Amino acid sequence: MIERTGIITFKGGPLTLIGPEVKVGEVAPDFTVTANDLSPVTMGDVIGKVLIIAAVPSLDTPVCDMETRRFNNEAAALGDDVKVLTISMDLPFAQARWCGAAGIEAVQTLSDHAHASFGENWGVLIKELRLLSRAVFVVGKNGKVEYVQYLKEITEEPDYDAALAVAKELAG
């Protein structure tokens, strides 16, 4: 498996990402993650809509909490052609509990805990922590990656406006 060192930091300390860097124009890599009801979800299950995919370390941390709430608030204005997914290594039970407590209804949270296939295939698995690095991807209805932002420092928030603008444009 590809290892990329010095790409990201956590509070200034360098970390290693496992997996290839996903680039705009590529076909979105497949994955198998777990929904809150413990059912498997693959890329094939969600393709056909514009996807905003947010990879986060853990919903129980301040920046991930803020980010997921922001995308949840924005999702209502995006329409039915856009689906927002937040993927973390949190267990599905913890994700369901967090969503219930936070009132998250427009974002689907998915767990990569069992297989780490999203983390490995999308190049966001942190080797030292077995958590996902913060990143945002926008995938078109055709399954092509249209926007990528790997955050250099995982404690920083993503560029919401840029990702949302691409998703809105793709949704037409």
Side-chain angles (χ1 to χ4, degrees):
M1 186 57 65
I2 296 168
E3 291 190 8
R4 298 178 293 133
T5 57
I7 303 296
I8 63 161
T9 59
F10 175 62
K11 297 183 179 178
L15 295 170
T16 305
L17 290 178
I18 296 176
E21 179 182 354
V22 172
K23 295 181 179 155
V24 170
E26 294 178 351
V27 173
D30 199 10
F31 57 78
T32 300
V33 292
T34 307
N36 292 174
D37 66 2
L38 302 181
S39 64
V41 176
T42 67
M43 189 66 190
D45 296 328
V46 294
I47 207 69
K49 291 187 180 254
V50 174
L51 302 172
I52 297 173
I53 304 174
V56 301
S58 176
L59 294 170
D60 283 318
T61 60
V63 178
C64 300
D65 178 291
M66 212 170 5
E67 178 179 340
T68 306
R69 288 175 192 264
R70 169 77 185 268
F71 278 126
N72 186 67
N73 292 339
E74 298 282 356
L78 297 174
D80 292 338
D81 286 340
V82 180
K83 186 171 184 71
V84 182
L85 308 175
T86 295
I87 303 176
S88 72
M89 284 292 199
D90 297 311
L91 292 174
F93 313 108
Q95 290 179 337
R97 176 198 46 77
W98 182 88
C99 287
I104 302 298
E105 297 178 354
V107 169
Q108 182 178 9
T109 55
L110 299 165
S111 175
D112 200 27
H113 178 74
H115 307 289
S117 73
F118 178 83
E120 289 179 354
N121 295 347
W122 289 70
V124 293
L125 182 61
I126 301 170
K127 179 180 180 179
E128 295 85 351
L129 304 173
R130 199 175 189 278
L131 295 173
L132 301 183
S133 181
R134 189 173 318 283
V136 177
F137 307 93
V138 178
V139 178
K141 294 177 187 178
N142 61 0
K144 296 268 182 156
V145 176
E146 301 292 343
Y147 175 85
V148 175
Q149 182 187 20
Y150 289 97
L151 279 290
K152 301 278 186 221
E153 169 57 52
I154 63 173
T155 61
E156 294 178 0
E157 291 180 79
D159 185 345
Y160 302 106
D161 295 335
L164 292 164
V166 171
K168 288 175 187 172
E169 181 181 323
L170 292 171

